[in-house]
Amino acid sequence: MTRPTPRGTPEPVAVPRPRAPATPPARQRPAPFAAARAALRTAVARVTGSTLGARQTAAVRIGVAGTWGVYLLREWPHRAELYGPDSAWGWDLARRLVSGNGAFTALLWSRSEAWFTCVYVLALLVSFLLVLGWRTRTMSVLFALTLLSLQNRSVFVGDGGDNLLHLLALYLCLTRCGQVWSLDARRRALGRPDRAGPWLWGLLGTALLAARLSDRLAPGWTLTLAATWAALGAWWFLERHPLGETRALADVLGNLLHHAGVLIIMAETCLVYATAGWYKVQGSRWQDGTAVYYPLELDSFSPWPALSHALAAHGTLIALLTYGTVFAQVAFPFSLLNRRAKNVLIIVLVGEHLGIAFLLGLPFFSLAMLAADAVFLPTGFLRAVERGARRVTRRRTRPTTMHGPRRTVRTADAEAPVRPGTGSVGAAP
């Protein structure tokens, strides 16, 4: 029963509630474009904010510098005939060629045998220091200059391996190849200051000024080396005085140069294999599967004549090696699209170069190619090599007592940490 409404009271009227203004639906971008933009932002952040391929470039650094250093040591008794005063490529011919193409060589600054010996010894020393990774930025530049000095003095000495070392030495100057497996990385990990850097920088600046004042450097090379010298000094200063965002900008530029150098090394290696493979395809001996037979029968390329003749006697094996070589070289650039295929072909190419070094007596050509191939090695494999090297180093540096070696407590997957300073030289910061 409802209560009656009094007279004179108006009936209640239902007032509609105001509705909120309808917001237009947000304009959503298609999912593929959003995913592409996110992938692009991630790629840019990785390229500018980190050093990719640090272990690969360290392996290239060790391979290139080690190959050139061992070569110079082997040719020490014949250095004068190869690059010095007794070279078949005479002084006047070398001067005429360098004046025409503008190549760099410090060996033409003086005809003195003492000056030649100093440059040769400096090339040996710089190669050794670059392998160890001591002041890697500076040593990479000095390594390139000493290598150019020797190779441009006698242009007909060497083979394809020397040409590859020539190019790789220049490309290494762009990379940050001392981030791991170097004395620089060890110094940074231990927090030690760089006391030798300023003295080395001042000494090189003095040498550059003296070379320019004596009119031994061309203007182009003077400008290039002066800019490099100034950049090295600015980097050392910014490491100690960041100056706000200037250090971050320098890191971005350094990473971009590093990645450019890595891409150039990769492109150069692919170009070498593609060119060699496609030229082989055009040869009749490579087409009929007998090309490998002929160098095995040459006395100049047979350090093991019995083994070479035994291999040459098997026609099926010769055909497999011939066609396999062509296939691996032609297919390698395309295998970069698939990681597993690339890794398989890397193993095949490593075996090919080891065979060339052992059977044909061309060890330095093979070492140069292996150094270039190192840029494609998987990071997981290089990490495994690093862990193995650390285990070996820890065992050798483990302190001993009167009762024998001190035992270490093992954790789930590795030994207990050792004291600072006893780890491997290549420890990453």
Side-chain angles (χ1 to χ4, degrees):
M1 184 175 180
T2 59
R3 182 179 297 178
T5 305
R7 291 182 179 181
T9 304
E11 294 287 338
V13 180
V15 179
R17 294 182 180 180
R19 296 182 179 180
T23 57
R27 185 178 180 182
Q28 297 181 354
R29 296 183 179 181
F33 292 100
R37 286 175 61 87
L40 180 61
R41 286 195 298 267
T42 302
V44 171
R46 291 192 65 188
V47 169
T48 59
S50 61
T51 303
L52 303 178
R55 288 173 176 80
Q56 284 81 355
T57 51
V60 174
R61 182 200 84 224
I62 295 172
V64 171
T67 300
W68 183 244
V70 173
Y71 171 78
L72 293 180
L73 277 178
R74 193 196 72 167
E75 300 299 341
W76 176 266
H78 313 288
R79 62 189 185 279
E81 290 81 4
L82 292 176
Y83 304 107
D86 300 333
S87 173
W89 187 253
W91 174 272
D92 296 332
L93 291 175
R95 288 276 297 215
R96 190 181 308 171
L97 180 63
V98 169
S99 62
N101 59 17
F104 176 86
T105 173
L107 291 180
L108 295 180
W109 293 358
S110 173
R111 303 188 70 160
S112 171
E113 187 173 354
W115 172 250
F116 163 73
T117 304
C118 289
V119 174
Y120 200 94
V121 172
L122 178 63
L124 272 171
L125 178 63
V126 168
S127 301
F128 177 72
L129 293 178
L130 186 59
V131 169
L132 294 180
W134 185 80
R135 306 305 183 276
T136 314
R137 296 178 183 276
T138 305
M139 289 302 117
S140 62
V141 177
L142 290 179
F143 176 77
L145 293 178
T146 53
L147 186 145
L148 293 177
S149 297
L150 292 171
Q151 289 191 352
N152 291 334
R153 170 61 179 85
S154 298
V155 293
F156 292 110
V157 175
D159 50 22
D162 293 332
N163 295 332
L164 186 60
L165 290 178
H166 187 126
L167 296 173
L168 292 177
L170 296 176
Y171 303 153
L172 277 178
C173 297
L174 301 176
T175 64
R176 308 179 76 171
C177 54
Q179 294 290 310
V180 298
W181 302 352
S182 64
L183 293 179
D184 292 341
R186 179 181 176 84
R187 186 184 70 251
R188 289 190 297 267
L190 299 177
R192 295 175 180 174
D194 184 9
R195 296 187 177 90
W199 293 99
L200 181 62
W201 184 74
L203 178 63
L204 293 177
T206 304
L208 178 61
L209 181 62
R212 182 55 194 152
L213 293 179
S214 60
D215 200 20
R216 301 181 187 276
L217 269 180
W221 280 105
T222 302
L223 182 60
T224 302
L225 296 179
T228 304
W229 177 79
L232 292 174
W235 183 265
W236 181 90
F237 180 81
L238 289 175
E239 284 185 338
R240 284 142 190 84
H241 308 282
L243 298 180
E245 297 296 331
T246 308
R247 171 61 191 277
L249 178 61
D251 278 328
V252 170
L253 294 177
N255 290 333
L256 290 176
L257 282 178
H258 167 82
H259 296 136
V262 172
L263 287 177
I264 293 174
I265 294 175
M266 296 172 69
E268 179 68 29
T269 307
C270 290
L271 182 62
V272 169
Y273 281 125
T275 304
W278 287 110
Y279 267 101
K280 286 181 177 65
V281 169
Q282 303 175 35
S284 58
R285 296 292 179 264
W286 292 97
Q287 293 175 5
D288 58 25
T290 61
V292 176
Y293 169 82
Y294 296 99
L296 292 175
E297 292 295 327
L298 294 176
D299 295 336
S300 302
F301 295 97
S302 298
W304 317 96
L307 179 59
S308 299
H309 295 326
L311 290 176
H314 293 79
T316 304
L317 181 59
I318 292 297
L320 290 175
L321 291 176
T322 301
Y323 292 131
T325 299
V326 176
F327 173 79
Q329 292 181 352
V330 172
F332 179 74
F334 302 99
S335 70
L336 299 183
L337 301 175
N338 185 279
R339 183 179 301 178
R340 293 182 179 178
K342 182 262 296 182
N343 293 339
V344 170
L345 283 183
I346 281 290
I347 296 174
V348 173
L349 291 173
V350 168
E352 174 190 336
H353 295 311
L354 292 178
I356 292 174
F358 187 76
L359 295 175
L360 301 183
L362 298 173
F364 296 105
F365 167 79
S366 299
L367 288 175
M369 290 302 303
L370 291 176
D373 292 341
V375 75
F376 297 104
L377 291 177
T379 303
F381 170 76
L382 295 176
R383 288 181 182 273
V385 172
E386 182 179 346
R387 289 193 296 269
R390 285 180 175 176
R391 292 194 194 99
V392 172
T393 306
R394 288 174 181 174
R395 290 172 184 173
R396 291 184 178 180
T397 58
R398 186 178 300 167
T400 58
T401 61
M402 296 179 59
H403 303 286
R406 186 182 69 181
R407 295 182 179 179
T408 57
V409 180
R410 292 183 177 272
T411 59
D413 56 352
E415 293 184 353
V418 295
R419 294 177 299 173
T422 61
S424 67
V425 172

